[in-house]
Amino acid sequence: MKSPIKYLIADDEALARDSIKILLKDEPELQFVGECASGQEVLDVLKSQEVDLLWLDIQMPQMNGFEVLEKIDFQKIPYIIFVTAYDEFAVKAFEYNTVDYLLKPFSNERFYKALYKAREVISQADPTLASFQEIIQYYKKQQQYRKRLSVKEKDRIILIEVSDIDWIMASDGYLEISVNRKKYLIQDSLKNLEHQLNPEDFVRIHRSTIVNLNRIHALEPWFNGEYYIVLKNDERFKLSRNFKDKITTILDNN
């Protein structure tokens, strides 16, 4: 008789864990081992129980998903399906026994596709090198520039489309992001996020401000060769002299 696939769920949000349990409860050949709300709990379970498949969130208390995996003997790391709201870690994720990388929110169809892939990989015990390299190349291509950002809104995390962003401004160690005049805060540096944005769509106009080129309506002259950038929603930003040549060149070529 075929041994069941023993799986563990690790996510600091109870709702996320419950959602996975519901989707898996009627699946044949699977055996629920437990659930964890922190990285340390994952390590404790893996020390005492055999786990074949780990559904793993990246951002968790005490230590993130990668830090958890670094503390496990490489030979004992179970197969991983990352379940996260952060798309920027996909390439790094495949340095481990990663079967798939699910971005929240995901559809049931996408979830079961990941499960099917896990069943196939575990049953074969060794995925081919060719398919592994194809996965790496796929995610490198997909993750060249950010498509979505995760932001906190009250007691939940939501995803916003990068293309919907009007502007981004550095403020007291945070970044303020404006989408249709609604403001969100994320903890990051402007320099770091700028490297993750497509330069064909976003440009820095000041040492503390980035704007979406597709939102620019006009460039208005001011005093002493200075300009104001006017967005389609009528918001105005002063264009720093240091970035004037760069943005005027871009606008001339569009």
Side-chain angles (χ1 to χ4, degrees), residues 50-76:
E50 181 182 334
V51 176
D52 301 306
L53 179 62
L54 173 60
W55 302 81
L56 180 63
D57 189 15
I58 290 178
Q59 298 292 354
M60 293 187 298
Q62 300 177 27
M63 64 185 81
N64 64 40
F66 295 123
E67 291 171 332
V68 170
L69 297 179
E70 291 292 341
K71 292 180 179 295
I72 305 170
D73 186 324
F74 181 75
Q75 300 299 325
K76 295 182 180 180

Side-chain angles (χ1 to χ4, degrees), residues 9-22 32 34-39 41-42 55-61 63 83-86 103-106 150-159:
I9 302 169
D11 197 304
D12 61 333
E13 296 182 358
L15 181 60
R17 299 195 303 272
D18 289 342
S19 297
I20 294 175
K21 283 191 292 185
I22 290 171
F32 177 65
E35 58 183 289
C36 305
S38 70
E41 289 179 33
V42 175
W55 302 81
L56 180 63
D57 189 15
I58 290 178
Q59 298 292 354
M60 293 187 298
M63 64 185 81
V83 187
T84 178
Y86 301 88
L103 277 176
K104 301 174 184 176
F106 49 80
S150 58
V151 297
K152 284 189 176 181
E153 185 181 59
K154 296 181 180 178
D155 59 346
R156 62 177 183 165
I157 294 176
I158 65 172
L159 295 176

